[in-house]
Amino acid sequence: MSNIGSNADGLTASPSGACCAPLASVSLDPAAAADMAKMFKAMGDPVRLRLLSLIAAHPEGEVCVCDLTDLFDVAPPTISYHLKLLREAGLVDHERRGTWVYYRPMRDRLYRLSALLAAPDLTGIPK
Amino acid sequence: MSNIGSNADGLTASPSGACCAPLASVSLDPAAAADMAKMFKAMGDPVRLRLLSLIAAHPEGEVCVCDLTDLFDVAPPTISYHLKLLREAGLVDHERRGTWVYYRPMRDRLYRLSALLAAPDLTGIPK
DNA sequence: CCTCTATATTGACCTCCATCTAAGTTTGGA
DNA sequence: TCCAAACTTAGATGGAGGTCAATATAGAGG
C-alpha cells in the first residue's frame, strides 16, 4: 500500500516494471480484498457452506435454527458459532420470533460474490 | 450422513419432520460442500484473493511469480505457500519455463463457484 | 562445473479456529 | 412463579494456518 493508487470501485492499477511481463493491469485492492476474503472465509468451512446452502434453499426464504441442528454431526453450540460467523460476514440475517430464531440469506451480498467470480479478471465488475 | 440420500448432482433431499417449518428441500450434500468449501477457503485469505485476482486479471492470461512477490508485504516463501494452496484448491495452474514459473487461472472452476452463488438456492445449478 | 537467480520446501513459532461441556438468557406455558 | 425448550455465550483444548529464516532445487550463463 504505497505506490498503488486505488479508487472507489475497490480496484487498483498496479505499477509497471517487472522481470518478464508488462503490468498487472487492474485487480482488487487490499481493502476490497479483505472484505471479500471475509465472506469467502466464512464459506470456507464445510459446515458453514452447508448451513448457508440450507438457508438459501429454503422455500420460505428463512430457516429456523431448530431445523438445522439435527442435520449435522456437531453440537448445537457449534452450529450457533458457525451461524454467528456467517452473520458477521454479512451472508445471513437473523430474527427472533418467540422461542425460535430464523435465518435468512443476504442475497445481494451473495450476488456480489458471484459477480466477482464471473468477471474474467476478478474485479467484481462483470462484462 | 445417514438418512440423507444424495445423487450425482451433488444435491441432497433432506428428511421432513422438524419443529416449525416443513423441510429443507434441496441443498449441497456434505461431499460437494467439502469440495466447494476447499475452494472458498483458498479465497478466504486476503493475500490469496489478491493473488488470484492479479493472476486472473493479467492480459497475457498468465503471470510470472516474479511479478507478484513485490506487490505484497510478505516474504517470497509466504507467496509460494499461498500459491500452493491456490493450486491445491484447483483455482490456478502453473508451468515452469526456464527460470520463471507462470500461473494461470482455472476459469472453469471459478465459473462453477460463480454459478453456485448465482443460484437462488445455492445448489450450484443456476436458473 | 560453478555460480547466480528464481521458486519451492522445511522447521519453528505463534496465533487463530472448530469443537466440546457447562452455564446463561429469553420466551412460552402450566 | 417456576420450569422447560431454544438458542447463545464462556471457557478450555487440540489442531490447523500464516509467517519467517534457512535450506534446497532448478535453470541459465559463464
Side-chain angles (χ1 to χ4, degrees):
Chain A
M1 322 96 221
S2 49
N3 55 351
I4 300 180
S6 62
N7 60 29
D9 294 340
L11 300 180
T12 296
S14 305
S16 71
C19 77
C20 39
L23 80 172
S25 70
V26 168
S27 67
L28 279 177
D29 73 23
D35 180 51
M36 298 280 196
K38 187 173 184 181
M39 291 191 265
F40 284 130
K41 185 179 204 175
M43 292 189 291
D45 179 275
V47 172
R48 284 196 295 271
L49 187 55
R50 285 181 60 208
L51 280 171
L52 182 61
S53 176
L54 287 164
I55 293 169
H58 225 265
E60 275 81 27
E62 59 181 14
V63 186
C64 174
V65 175
C66 61
D67 281 333
L68 295 172
T69 47
D70 294 336
L71 299 176
F72 295 82
D73 287 336
V74 298
T78 302
I79 296 294
S80 195
Y81 161 73
H82 285 303
L83 288 173
K84 181 184 182 182
L85 290 193
L86 287 174
R87 248 161 42 211
E88 291 176 347
L91 294 174
V92 300
D93 195 6
H94 74 312
E95 177 191 352
R96 172 167 215 137
R97 287 204 301 277
T99 308
W100 298 287
V101 176
Y102 297 84
Y103 278 78
R104 260 187 309 275
M106 300 195 66
R107 302 202 181 273
D108 50 331
R109 300 268 288 176
L110 292 172
Y111 284 140
R112 188 160 162 229
L113 288 185
S114 176
L116 174 72
L117 297 177
D121 53 1
L122 285 208
T123 57
I125 302 177
K127 183 79 193 8
Chain B
M1 311 108 213
S2 49
N3 53 351
I4 300 181
S6 62
N7 60 29
D9 294 339
L11 302 178
T12 296
S14 306
S16 71
C19 77
C20 39
L23 80 172
S25 69
V26 168
S27 67
L28 279 177
D29 73 24
D35 181 49
M36 299 280 195
K38 187 173 185 181
M39 291 190 267
F40 285 131
K41 186 185 227 172
M43 292 188 291
D45 179 274
V47 172
R48 283 196 296 272
L49 186 56
R50 284 181 59 207
L51 280 171
L52 182 60
S53 176
L54 286 164
I55 293 168
H58 225 266
E60 275 81 26
E62 59 181 14
V63 187
C64 175
V65 175
C66 61
D67 281 333
L68 295 172
T69 46
D70 294 335
L71 300 176
F72 294 84
D73 287 335
V74 298
T78 302
I79 296 293
S80 196
Y81 161 74
H82 285 303
L83 288 172
K84 181 183 183 183
L85 290 193
L86 287 174
R87 248 160 43 212
E88 291 175 347
L91 294 174
V92 299
D93 196 5
H94 74 310
E95 177 191 352
R96 173 165 217 137
R97 287 205 299 277
T99 307
W100 298 286
V101 176
Y102 297 85
Y103 278 77
R104 262 188 310 274
M106 300 195 66
R107 301 201 181 273
D108 50 331
R109 299 269 287 177
L110 292 173
Y111 284 141
R112 188 160 162 230
L113 287 185
S114 177
L116 175 71
L117 296 176
D121 53 1
L122 285 209
T123 57
I125 302 177
K127 182 79 198 354

